[in-house]
Amino acid sequence: MQLNYKLSIPSFLISEEDGRTVHYQIKIQNQNKEWVVQKRYSEFKKLKDSLTQYFGDILPDLPKKKYITFLVGKSDQELDQRRQELEKFLHVISQNERIINSGQFQSFLNLTQSKIQVTILQNFKFGIRDFYYSEDLLIILNAETNALSRFDAYIQNIIDDEAIVPVGSIECWEHSVKSWTKKYNSQAICLYFHNQSLLIGLDNGMINYLTILPGKINTSYEIEQHQSRVMGVYLFNQLIYSVSKDQNYRVVNFQTGQLEVDYHHNYELTCLKFNEIRNCAFIGDRNGQIMIFQNSSKLITLDFNDQFLRDLAVDPIKNYLIGICFYTGSTIVYDIGGIGQEKNTKKITQFKNKDKSRCVCWSSSRGEVFIGNSDGTITIWSAKDCSPIKEYQVHQNEITKMIWNEDASILMTSSKDKTIKIICLPKRWDGEIIIEKQKKSLDDIEQWDQNN
């Protein structure tokens, strides 16, 4: 859509408090109303920096600051010249439909006033790598993210092989009460849980297979599946699917121990998603390739052009496959077709998220892509026009996992900052204000708190 407002900067004001701070008066007009938004030069710069992360170098230049005027102040003539240049900057970017539809631009002009609610689960001992959530069960995978602390723990474990100085753990909470904890002397990286079966992929290449009953671990044993960090695990029809930094994709029958698939790739494998209806594994690597496997057959390889695939999302309703690249933020949406048509997968669209994208979720009903970033922000994109709708600072460190609940419009995120956030999104977007409720959880789990 086009911007239905006329923008201008007719004047500027100098703060009466310090006699130096300059506010530029942005007038926003349409047929029905008119209002003024005050912005400092630094806010214009912040807007440009934020837009540049998504739209690259297509933005016009802002007027440059001069060192001497920073020291002695600016004349009215210099300020008026800057006002004109800022007005030109706004005029140019408002001609770009994707920019005017972005959350950054809408927020800058106070065109919207939406609210989201963020609830916090906190006080965990380690950073959170992965988690599983259902109405009455929360499983949290913790890992020591400090390299020096991990090294100290490894040394202590070598010196005393009977003692375990943990660098990772799994915690199980049932009905708001922590029921059990299991510690590891290797980082716990990823998990899969379904119907009492729990898989933990470890940094040393092992997979810990557990069965759990209410309040306790029933059985636990380790499977020597890989030689280095396990990056993804899944269990389906007695088969354990896994990928690793050792470049291997393996499928083993956990009852017979038989290795069903042993595929060695040219690059590190970084992510795994499995679709049970299609009986297909979707695998990403560090060189920008996505492979689709059915049993031991590789159906197709999709190329991201030498980029580090960080995460994948599969939509079984609209038959979409979404991949994100870590370093560049490049995001590609594929149409994988109906069941049995995976070989005909084709690219639908591509857009650029901010650098160092880590995880992705997809909402079929909203047509929105949610991307968790290394700086602790989440970016919400419209798949319809490939525009960033909103960006929120949710965590203080890298986002490691996101789970989307379609029915409740709830996005759950975890981070190395030792918190889980439960984000209640509005049914439709009409604003940008974030509200953090200082309670620990939603009503059904409001007693959950960890005080290690």
Side-chain angles (χ1 to χ4, degrees):
M1 72 178 198
Q2 306 219 342
L3 185 67
N4 297 320
Y5 299 93
K6 180 181 178 182
L7 304 177
S8 62
I9 307 179
S11 61
F12 60 85
L13 292 176
I14 300 176
S15 172
E16 295 181 355
E17 294 183 3
D18 59 16
R20 296 177 65 87
T21 304
V22 181
H23 297 275
Y24 296 92
Q25 310 290 103
I26 304 173
K27 182 187 289 187
I28 307 167
Q29 298 171 286
N30 67 5
Q31 294 179 346
N32 302 318
K33 60 181 179 179
E34 172 184 311
W35 71 97
V36 173
V37 176
Q38 292 190 148
K39 298 291 181 181
R40 298 177 60 181
Y41 176 85
S42 60
E43 293 176 282
F44 278 89
K45 185 177 185 306
K46 184 178 179 181
L47 170 66
K48 182 181 178 183
D49 291 344
S50 179
L51 290 173
T52 299
Q53 295 182 84
Y54 301 102
F55 301 104
D57 298 327
I58 67 172
L59 301 172
D61 292 332
L62 287 170
K64 297 186 183 302
K65 280 192 170 185
K66 297 179 181 178
Y67 181 67
I68 187 66
T69 58
F70 172 75
L71 294 175
V72 302
K74 303 177 188 68
S75 67
D76 287 349
Q77 183 178 2
E78 290 172 319
L79 290 173
D80 191 63
Q81 177 66 30
R82 173 169 284 184
R83 174 195 65 78
Q84 294 177 46
E85 293 175 351
L86 291 174
E87 185 177 73
K88 180 180 178 181
F89 171 82
L90 272 186
H91 175 74
V92 172
I93 67 173
S94 65
Q95 305 307 305
N96 187 306
E97 185 174 342
R98 290 183 62 216
I99 289 178
I100 65 174
N101 288 330
S102 69
Q104 294 91 329
F105 185 81
Q106 299 264 322
S107 175
F108 180 78
L109 295 180
N110 291 354
L111 295 177
T112 55
Q113 290 253 324
S114 76
K115 295 182 179 180
I116 67 172
Q117 292 182 333
V118 178
T119 301
I120 308 171
L121 304 176
Q122 58 188 355
N123 297 327
F124 297 101
K125 183 174 182 179
F126 297 125
I128 299 170
R129 284 277 189 181
D130 203 348
F131 69 98
Y132 167 87
Y133 170 76
S134 66
E135 185 176 352
D136 54 5
L137 183 67
L138 176 66
I139 301 174
I140 301 173
L141 202 62
N142 298 307
E144 175 60 76
T145 57
N146 183 284
L148 183 59
S149 298
R150 288 201 306 271
F151 180 76
D152 289 342
Y154 293 148
I155 295 299
Q156 289 298 317
N157 290 331
I158 291 172
I159 294 173
D160 185 356
D161 57 7
E162 293 186 1
I164 294 181
V165 179
V167 292
S169 67
I170 184 83
E171 296 180 12
C172 182
W173 293 75
E174 301 176 65
H175 303 287
S176 308
V177 178
K178 186 164 71 170
S179 56
W180 55 264
T181 300
K182 180 177 173 60
K183 298 177 182 180
Y184 297 100
N185 58 9
S186 178
Q187 278 196 95
I189 304 299
C190 55
L191 69 81
Y192 170 80
F193 175 77
H194 178 69
N195 193 26
Q196 299 182 340
S197 293
L198 176 62
L199 299 178
I200 310 297
L202 300 173
D203 191 48
N204 60 10
M206 305 291 285
I207 295 177
N208 185 200
Y209 176 81
L210 305 97
T211 59
I212 63 175
L213 297 175
K216 67 177 183 179
I217 297 173
N218 185 37
T219 61
S220 173
Y221 60 90
E222 291 190 338
I223 302 171
E224 297 183 12
Q225 189 96 328
H226 294 282
Q227 300 302 310
S228 61
R229 174 175 291 189
V230 179
M231 298 298 294
V233 290
Y234 200 90
L235 175 64
F236 179 60
N237 283 345
Q238 302 181 358
L239 299 177
I240 295 177
Y241 298 77
S242 64
V243 296
S244 169
K245 291 180 69 174
D246 67 7
Q247 305 174 211
N248 289 318
Y249 163 53
R250 286 180 172 152
V251 181
V252 64
N253 187 310
F254 75 87
Q255 288 193 338
T256 66
Q258 181 177 349
L259 190 61
E260 304 284 344
V261 179
D262 188 11
Y263 173 80
H264 184 76
H265 191 51
N266 294 328
Y267 305 97
E268 292 181 7
L269 301 178
T270 56
C271 48
L272 167 69
K273 291 293 185 291
F274 191 89
N275 184 272
E276 296 184 1
I277 297 175
R278 294 173 180 269
N279 193 27
C280 282
F282 300 84
I283 300 168
D285 76 2
R286 200 178 182 92
N287 195 51
Q289 293 181 340
I290 300 175
M291 296 167 287
I292 304 178
F293 276 85
Q294 189 171 66
N295 300 318
S296 59
S297 300
K298 183 166 63 172
L299 302 179
I300 191 173
T301 298
L302 310 171
D303 202 336
F304 256 76
N305 299 320
D306 301 324
Q307 299 191 58
F308 177 5
L309 252 297
R310 191 61 185 84
D311 196 17
L312 300 170
V314 180
D315 175 18
I317 298 174
K318 295 189 175 180
N319 300 322
Y320 290 160
L321 170 64
I322 303 171
I324 58 170
C325 297
F326 179 68
Y327 291 114
T328 65
S330 180
T331 305
I332 299 182
V333 182
Y334 294 95
D335 180 357
I336 56 178
I339 297 174
Q341 299 177 6
E342 295 82 8
K343 289 183 179 181
N344 300 319
T345 294
K346 59 183 179 180
K347 185 173 78 172
I348 301 174
T349 189
Q350 181 173 354
F351 57 87
K352 184 190 181 306
N353 189 55
K354 66 200 305 183
D355 296 348
K356 296 188 177 180
S357 306
R358 285 188 57 90
C359 44
V360 62
C361 285
W362 161 256
S363 170
S364 181
S365 64
R366 299 166 69 103
E368 292 173 358
V369 180
F370 310 107
I371 300 179
N373 305 303
S374 292
D375 61 2
T377 61
I378 58 169
T379 313
I380 303 172
W381 287 81
S382 167
K384 181 179 180 181
D385 55 16
C386 294
S387 294
I389 302 171
K390 301 289 172 188
E391 178 183 305
Y392 293 112
Q393 185 73 50
V394 179
H395 292 279
Q396 300 305 310
N397 206 324
E398 299 176 32
I399 294 178
T400 54
K401 178 68 177 286
M402 299 196 305
I403 296 175
W404 170 248
N405 185 308
E406 192 80 65
D407 295 332
S409 288
I410 288 177
L411 181 67
M412 298 185 69
T413 63
S414 65
S415 169
K416 291 182 179 181
D417 67 6
K418 306 179 184 180
T419 66
I420 291 176
K421 301 290 182 73
I422 304 171
I423 306 163
C424 302
L425 301 183
K427 295 296 183 181
R428 62 181 181 85
W429 290 110
D430 54 15
E432 86 293 346
I433 299 173
I434 183 171
I435 297 177
E436 288 220 1
K437 291 161 48 178
Q438 293 304 314
K439 52 185 282 191
K440 299 298 185 293
S441 66
L442 297 177
D443 291 341
D444 60 344
I445 50 172
E446 69 181 345
Q447 300 302 316
W448 286 1
D449 189 14
Q450 170 70 320
N451 294 300
N452 284 342

